[in-house]
Amino acid sequence: MKKTFLFSSFFFLLSSFGIAHGYSSDDMARANLIAQAGLIVSHEAVELYRLDDPMLRQELIGTALRLAGVDLPKEYACRGYFTDANFAPSSTDAWVCRAFELGADNSFVTRANKTTRPRDKVTRAEALAIIVQAGKVPLAPDNYSTNWLKAQGYADWQTKLLSSLTDCRIFNHGVSCEDGKDGNIAMGNFRPNEPATRADVFEFMMYTQKMQDEQSRICSEYFDIFLDGNIETSILAWETIAVQCPNL
């Protein structure tokens, strides 16, 4: 009888965890990894990452700036780009003004509108688009021809974004798309219009950083070939560097 009670209690705890938390152990690991990289604030208690919470626009822009390596000065005077993100330096929301104004300076948000809705939730497609831009992820716009996902509610720009990503790992849970069929399945399963959770955004960020690291290694190898190779290999290496490594 006692054993039955213990097993029942154990399974109750497991089911309660599943109901209370939509995130996985992989989500927790990704949050810790990008925290170690200095992209988000590190927490010892995983619940403080709020992985199930929807990502707000102000949080997304602030995080994207870190991913892009943009300097975030502690002392920042609001310049008044946006009427709903204009705070005094002493305000606890002063960072929101800095985030959106630096985000506008770096083309993550537009200054065409006077409001920026900092506390609005972002969709998965909006979050991916910002992270891709912040991470300087290579795009191939020519891959897009038509919005074949329109019937599933995808906007033209959403299908174009996914089609243009030559490496689908960033939106496919780190799994490569071996052929066109795999890529189409990954795109069709993306759920672009659902709210992006913090776990979603952290996942996009982690795989973006992995791709950045891989690209840096590849570019370094081509640069070594350019320096040490013969004339023919140096020319080929330089052509590759010019296309794939514009920031080297």
Side-chain angles (χ1 to χ4, degrees):
M1 188 74 173
K2 185 176 181 181
K3 184 181 290 186
T4 303
F5 174 75
L6 289 174
F7 274 111
S8 298
S9 300
F10 175 71
F11 285 113
F12 173 76
L13 288 172
L14 284 181
S15 61
S16 296
F17 181 85
I19 293 171
H21 305 289
Y23 55 82
S24 66
S25 58
D26 286 342
D27 292 325
M28 292 185 280
R30 282 190 282 263
N32 284 321
L33 283 171
I34 63 172
Q36 290 170 15
L39 298 176
I40 59 174
V41 176
S42 180
H43 296 292
E44 290 187 11
V46 69
E47 60 268 20
L48 295 179
Y49 287 117
R50 297 183 290 116
L51 295 172
D52 285 339
D53 286 3
M55 180 69 82
L56 305 183
R57 283 173 58 83
Q58 62 189 34
E59 295 173 321
L60 176 64
I61 297 302
T63 304
L65 289 168
R66 291 191 185 92
L67 180 63
V70 175
D71 183 44
L72 302 174
K74 291 183 179 179
E75 301 296 328
Y76 183 88
C78 218
R79 289 171 281 180
Y81 289 2
F82 306 105
T83 58
D84 56 354
N86 193 345
F87 302 96
S90 59
S91 170
T92 56
D93 288 325
W95 71 272
V96 176
C97 179
R98 178 189 66 182
F100 274 99
E101 292 190 349
L102 292 178
D105 291 344
N106 287 274
S107 301
F108 297 159
V109 294
T110 178
R111 289 185 61 184
N113 301 318
K114 289 300 180 183
T115 58
T116 191
R117 311 184 322 278
R119 294 188 181 277
D120 279 10
K121 299 173 185 177
V122 296
T123 65
R124 284 169 49 83
E126 290 169 337
L128 178 63
I130 294 293
I131 295 302
V132 163
Q133 185 178 357
K136 299 181 175 62
V137 176
L139 296 174
D142 290 345
N143 287 349
Y144 175 77
S145 57
T146 185
N147 186 4
W148 60 278
L149 289 167
K150 186 174 182 179
Q152 292 179 228
Y154 287 56
D156 290 352
W157 72 268
Q158 294 170 341
T159 304
K160 183 175 184 179
L161 170 65
L162 297 174
S163 300
S164 299
L165 286 163
T166 56
D167 190 330
C168 76
R169 287 177 297 169
I170 186 174
F171 65 87
N172 194 37
H173 311 296
V175 179
S176 295
C177 298
E178 298 298 331
D179 54 35
K181 180 180 178 181
D182 292 336
N184 289 345
I185 292 173
M187 290 170 60
N189 291 334
F190 181 65
R191 312 185 320 277
N193 298 307
E194 289 187 10
T197 64
R198 292 167 63 85
D200 288 333
V201 176
F202 295 165
E203 181 175 355
F204 299 156
M205 290 174 64
M206 196 197 80
Y207 289 117
T208 294
Q209 190 180 36
K210 280 182 172 290
M211 291 162 62
Q212 287 175 326
D213 292 342
E214 290 176 10
Q215 191 66 23
S216 178
R217 176 182 56 78
I218 292 170
C219 290
S220 179
E221 290 176 357
Y222 275 110
F223 195 70
D224 288 341
I225 293 173
F226 170 73
L227 293 176
D228 300 333
N230 59 37
I231 292 177
E232 289 184 0
T233 56
S234 291
I235 291 174
L236 291 174
W238 183 251
E239 290 176 348
T240 302
I241 290 170
V243 173
Q244 297 190 19
C245 316
N247 300 311
L248 186 65

